[in-house]
Amino acid sequence: MKKSTRTGWILITLALVMGVWIFTSHNSQADKTTDAGFVLSDDGTRLKSYQGSGGSVTVPSGVTTIDSGVFANNTSITNVSLPSSVTTLGSRVFSGATNLRSVTLGRVTSIPESTFQNCMSLTQVSIPSTVTSIGSQGFYGCAALGSISVPGGVSSISANAFGECNNLTSISASNSFYSSYDGCLYNASGSRLILVPPGKSSISFSSNLRTIGAGSFSYNRNIRTVSVPNSADSIEAGAFTNSSVSSITIPKGVVSIGSQGSWRPSELYGYQNSAASKFASANGITFIALDPGSGSASSRDNDNNDDSNSGMTNNDDPDQPGEDDEFSNNDDPDQPGDNDGGEDDGHDDTVASGDARRGGGSSANGGSGGSSTAGGRGRSYNGKDYTPKTADTDLDPRYAMCGVLLLLGIFVMVSGNKRKLTLVSRKKDDK
């Protein structure tokens, strides 16, 4: 046997042996099952699945990582306690566990995508101080959840993290990124309203309010009447999209109103020649003037208003800073990092909650901060994608090494045979 052929077969055999060894070692790691039904990696640090009988469940001490979907759609578990050794959760860990009532989260660093989605019986969850982010649909559809407390280290909350939590009436927060007032979520200075909990039936605003943020009312179906305070100067695109607000009063000080999609209140109170009157006219909304002696006017009778193309319609005009095309028909989405480039007017789209850019300072006239969106997977209130990474395992790199050895063996054999054929051909030509 030629040397090249022998070398090629050695490499191919080595690749196959390594592949079988890696595959076998992976299988053996998944076979460590405790009496309580926990399937662990062979070193006991990763919880791969759960096959127990349910009820109150305590994850074994020493586990540091829980894989994606371990308890997903498990209707038998009622309470779960994670040890302090757990720091990493995969996505959807408890998703669809409809009878889960309470959870202790150990010392996890993030609540990833859909962690508690549709846990309809969940009434109690304590978010540990180690958490820094709450991912897309983290608590989406937790219909029994009444309140939530955001710990001091959280710098990113996805826009739809608490969507369809129809009994959620209070979110409390106080750190360098977020604050709360009357149970609603604001940026740290209180100048930008971020989220009105879906379960609230009435609202009073922070005295520092300047901006009603995009998507802030989107999941609330209970509040029918809103009176925007005089301190406000802007309403971002999509702030009231999908809301049930049917009557709204907008003061003169509001100079910017973004597109609100299909939202059409039955009546809008405001002042003639203001942003409110122009918005009503452009969108066919009944406008009731508050100007002394001006009487009432219906925007439906003012279709020829010269100001109907004022940039507050569903057109292709440039967005106002802070507007999000997810809620409008505009064709010019904001770029990450867009801001006014000048005076701080509360519409910076890039910095978490609007205060970190200025060193965390809090002021009634402070910037309103990051863009809040509704329904977008992986989006967050600070305008960046902070959907936490899951604990899913990637392809073992040793498999790549096996592939390289296999290809190298084939190459050596083919090149050796090619040289042999070339020499034979030359000898025939010489004859």
Side-chain angles (χ1 to χ4, degrees), residues 210-271:
R210 291 185 61 191
T211 301
I212 296 180
S216 53
F217 283 86
S218 289
Y219 288 102
N220 188 287
R221 307 290 188 270
N222 300 308
I223 297 176
R224 309 288 180 181
T225 301
V226 169
S227 181
V228 178
N230 291 328
S231 61
D233 60 21
S234 64
I235 298 173
E236 291 183 354
F240 293 97
T241 297
N242 297 324
S243 76
S244 295
V245 174
S246 59
S247 177
I248 186 169
T249 300
I250 301 178
K252 281 183 179 179
V254 173
V255 296
S256 171
I257 304 176
S259 169
Q260 302 301 314
S262 60
W263 176 69
R264 297 290 184 275
S266 56
E267 52 191 20
L268 190 159
Y269 294 83
Y271 293 86

Side-chain angles (χ1 to χ4, degrees), residues 1 21 32 37 43 49 103 107 110 120 165 179 188 191 231 236 268-269 287 289 298 302 341 372 380:
M1 183 182 293
W21 173 68
K32 183 177 180 180
D43 62 0
S49 66
V103 174
R107 294 183 62 79
S110 67
M120 297 182 290
C165 293
S179 65
S191 62
S231 61
E236 291 183 354
L268 190 159
Y269 294 83
F287 179 76
S298 171
N302 294 321
S372 164
S380 63

Side-chain angles (χ1 to χ4, degrees), residues 37 84 98 175 200 223 269 277 326 335 344 355 360 377 393 403:
S84 59
T98 54
N175 61 27
K200 283 189 69 67
I223 297 176
Y269 294 83
S277 68
E326 183 174 354
Q335 297 299 318
D344 179 14
D355 294 309
R377 289 174 65 86
T393 56

Side-chain angles (χ1 to χ4, degrees), residues 238-362:
F240 293 97
T241 297
N242 297 324
S243 76
S244 295
V245 174
S246 59
S247 177
I248 186 169
T249 300
I250 301 178
K252 281 183 179 179
V254 173
V255 296
S256 171
I257 304 176
S259 169
Q260 302 301 314
S262 60
W263 176 69
R264 297 290 184 275
S266 56
E267 52 191 20
L268 190 159
Y269 294 83
Y271 293 86
Q272 294 288 355
N273 299 317
S274 66
S277 68
K278 296 170 184 178
F279 179 82
S281 176
N283 291 279
I285 299 169
T286 298
F287 179 76
I288 301 173
L290 299 175
D291 306 61
S294 66
S296 300
S298 171
S299 67
R300 293 190 177 96
D301 297 327
N302 294 321
D303 291 338
N304 295 322
N305 191 319
D306 291 338
D307 295 319
S308 62
N309 293 322
S310 62
M312 291 170 285
T313 64
N314 296 336
N315 54 29
D316 295 333
D317 292 342
D319 292 344
Q320 295 297 319
E323 288 187 2
D324 193 326
D325 282 350
E326 183 174 354
F327 299 97
S328 67
N329 294 329
N330 297 336
D331 295 331
D332 50 354
D334 293 341
Q335 297 299 318
D338 282 354
N339 55 45
D340 297 324
E343 183 180 351
D344 179 14
D345 66 353
H347 301 297
D348 187 293
D349 286 340
T350 63
V351 181
S353 304
D355 294 309
R357 176 167 56 91
R358 288 170 294 281
S362 176

Side-chain angles (χ1 to χ4, degrees), residues 9-264:
W9 276 116
I10 292 173
L11 291 172
I12 291 172
T13 302
L14 182 60
L16 293 175
V17 170
M18 282 188 63
V20 171
W21 173 68
I22 296 169
F23 180 77
T24 304
S25 65
H26 278 185
N27 282 348
S28 64
Q29 290 178 9
D31 291 337
K32 183 177 180 180
T33 304
T34 69
D35 293 339
F38 297 104
V39 179
L40 306 174
S41 59
D42 65 346
D43 62 0
T45 62
R46 181 183 295 271
L47 176 58
K48 292 175 171 283
S49 66
Y50 174 69
Q51 301 170 359
S53 58
S56 293
V57 174
T58 300
V59 172
S61 178
V63 171
T64 61
T65 301
I66 298 180
D67 282 358
S68 295
V70 164
F71 297 101
N73 301 314
N74 187 318
T75 58
S76 64
I77 58 172
T78 56
N79 306 281
V80 175
S81 177
L82 307 185
S84 59
S85 57
V86 174
T87 58
T88 305
L89 297 179
S91 63
R92 305 176 293 101
V93 167
F94 300 101
S95 177
T98 54
N99 289 313
L100 180 65
R101 296 194 295 267
S102 67
V103 174
T104 302
L105 286 174
R107 294 183 62 79
V108 299
T109 57
S110 67
I111 296 177
E113 174 184 346
S114 303
T115 296
F116 295 102
Q117 184 177 8
N118 294 328
C119 290
M120 297 182 290
S121 299
L122 185 66
T123 59
Q124 183 179 352
V125 57
S126 178
I127 302 177
S129 59
T130 49
V131 168
T132 60
S133 60
I134 300 176
S136 175
Q137 298 186 336
F139 291 90
Y140 192 96
C142 293
L145 195 63
S147 63
I148 201 80
S149 179
V150 178
V154 172
S155 60
S156 169
I157 301 176
S158 182
N160 57 6
F162 301 103
E164 305 300 335
C165 293
N166 294 329
N167 284 302
L168 184 66
T169 58
S170 175
I171 299 176
S172 60
S174 180
N175 61 27
S176 58
F177 297 94
Y178 298 104
S179 65
S180 56
Y181 181 84
D182 189 35
C184 298
L185 186 67
Y186 287 79
N187 65 338
S189 67
S191 62
R192 182 173 185 271
L193 176 64
I194 292 175
L195 179 65
V196 179
K200 283 189 69 67
S201 57
S202 62
I203 185 173
S204 59
F205 296 92
S206 164
S207 59
N208 290 344
L209 180 73
R210 291 185 61 191
T211 301
I212 296 180
S216 53
F217 283 86
S218 289
Y219 288 102
N220 188 287
R221 307 290 188 270
N222 300 308
I223 297 176
R224 309 288 180 181
T225 301
V226 169
S227 181
V228 178
N230 291 328
S231 61
D233 60 21
S234 64
I235 298 173
E236 291 183 354
F240 293 97
T241 297
N242 297 324
S243 76
S244 295
V245 174
S246 59
S247 177
I248 186 169
T249 300
I250 301 178
K252 281 183 179 179
V254 173
V255 296
S256 171
I257 304 176
S259 169
Q260 302 301 314
S262 60
W263 176 69
R264 297 290 184 275

Side-chain angles (χ1 to χ4, degrees), residues 347-421:
H347 301 297
D348 187 293
D349 286 340
T350 63
V351 181
S353 304
D355 294 309
R357 176 167 56 91
R358 288 170 294 281
S362 176
S363 168
N365 294 323
S368 63
S371 175
S372 164
T373 63
R377 289 174 65 86
R379 305 195 59 154
S380 63
Y381 286 126
N382 63 10
K384 299 178 182 178
D385 184 346
Y386 274 98
T387 301
K389 299 296 184 292
T390 71
D392 294 330
T393 56
D394 295 325
L395 182 67
D396 193 316
R398 292 176 296 179
Y399 282 123
M401 183 179 295
C402 292
V404 171
L405 289 174
L406 181 62
L407 292 174
L408 183 59
I410 294 173
F411 173 77
V412 169
M413 292 178 65
V414 171
S415 59
N417 289 331
K418 186 176 180 180
R419 284 197 299 271
K420 180 179 178 181
L421 291 173

